[in-house]
Amino acid sequence: MNRCPPLAAAALALGLLVASGAHAQSVQRPFPKDALRGTLTVVQPPYVQMDDRTTRLAPGARIRGTDNNLLRPAALVKQELTVNYTMDRKGQVQEVWVLTEQEAQEKRATLGVERNYRFESQQSQSPSVLGTADAIR
């Protein structure tokens, strides 16, 4: 006795898959209250650079991408990523969440150095601004 034809089962499975994918994109990820904001650069796993200091990934550390899937540290070598992270008692990075642009806009505490200035090399200037500056000199 076949209650569900194979074609109907496939259509149902496809519908559920599409619905769950759309739902997952709209969900706000809940970060722990003690999670910090920083810039992660994987130097050589398990060594990472968080902002201006070098530390290690804790044993069993998890790095989650913007889609909340687990990422391998070796795949992230020498990439600068804006992240939220937690640390264990030894000061090693335990949990990491790579942030989307929207999540990165939210303010969060950091252990890194916060600067209220930018170097001239970090500022982008248009050619018209450069031309007027040269004219003034």
Side-chain angles (χ1 to χ4, degrees):
M1 180 164 148
N2 191 0
R3 294 184 180 180
C4 185
L7 184 58
L12 178 63
L14 181 63
L16 290 174
L17 181 64
V18 170
S20 66
H23 177 68
Q25 291 176 356
S26 64
V27 173
Q28 179 77 19
R29 293 191 289 177
F31 301 114
K33 291 181 181 180
D34 62 339
L36 302 168
R37 173 72 46 84
T39 302
L40 170 80
T41 306
V42 179
V43 180
Q44 174 74 32
Y47 296 100
V48 296
Q49 187 167 355
M50 292 301 301
D51 297 320
D52 295 336
R53 57 192 166 76
T54 302
T55 186
R56 291 178 55 116
L57 291 172
R62 290 178 283 196
I63 301 175
R64 297 191 180 274
T66 56
D67 54 359
N68 234 19
N69 288 333
L70 292 177
L71 302 174
R72 295 178 184 255
L76 304 174
V77 172
K78 296 186 181 176
Q79 293 182 31
E80 273 192 22
L81 302 167
T82 302
V83 299
N84 285 347
Y85 66 98
T86 59
M87 300 182 85
D88 65 4
R89 293 181 184 178
K90 294 182 180 181
Q92 298 175 337
V93 178
Q94 181 67 42
E95 295 269 348
V96 179
W97 295 269
V98 179
L99 302 178
T100 63
E101 290 180 23
Q102 181 182 7
E103 292 169 338
Q105 299 299 322
E106 298 173 12
K107 297 293 182 190
R108 192 170 279 272
T110 180
L111 289 180
V113 177
E114 291 188 48
R115 297 181 176 94
N116 61 356
Y117 61 87
R118 293 182 69 138
F119 291 107
E120 187 175 334
S121 62
Q122 293 174 322
Q123 297 174 357
S124 61
Q125 295 181 349
S126 64
S128 62
V129 174
L130 292 173
T132 56
D134 291 335
I136 295 173
R137 290 183 195 170

